Amino acid sequence: MAGNYTKDEKRFLKRLGLAIKDRRVEQGLSQEKLAELTGLHRTYVGSVERGERNISALNIKSLADALECQASNFFRATE
């Protein structure tokens, strides 16, 4: 993971990524299909789901829109 993140920050990113992945799997979408729907690269989506990226707010919104949910749903899973 790039950057000097604290243990808590790393845990947060991993939980956020897992929440996105869980929603994607519930929707029956592949990473490739989600990437296509959002305009993001497939490898980027994968790295987000693994908690390796400090994803931007606009990319979170794009993922939430594609997954037909509110972006806040992802954050509830991090608490």
Side-chain angles (χ1 to χ4, degrees), residues 19-32 34 45 49 67 74:
I20 293 167
K21 180 180 180 178
D22 287 347
R23 181 66 183 197
R24 175 182 60 78
V25 170
E26 285 173 11
Q27 295 284 322
L29 297 175
S30 66
Q31 286 181 348
E32 186 172 9
L34 181 57
V45 171
E49 290 185 351
L67 293 170
F74 300 144

Side-chain angles (χ1 to χ4, degrees), residues 40-49 53-56 59:
L40 300 171
H41 195 276
R42 183 195 53 79
T43 58
Y44 178 81
V45 171
S47 64
V48 166
E49 290 185 351
R53 297 279 185 156
N54 186 1
I55 184 171
S56 75
N59 286 345

Side-chain angles (χ1 to χ4, degrees), residues 34 37-40 56-68 74:
L34 181 57
L37 291 171
T38 60
L40 300 171
S56 75
L58 292 177
N59 286 345
I60 291 170
K61 181 189 179 318
S62 180
L63 288 164
D65 289 347
L67 293 170
E68 301 175 344
F74 300 144

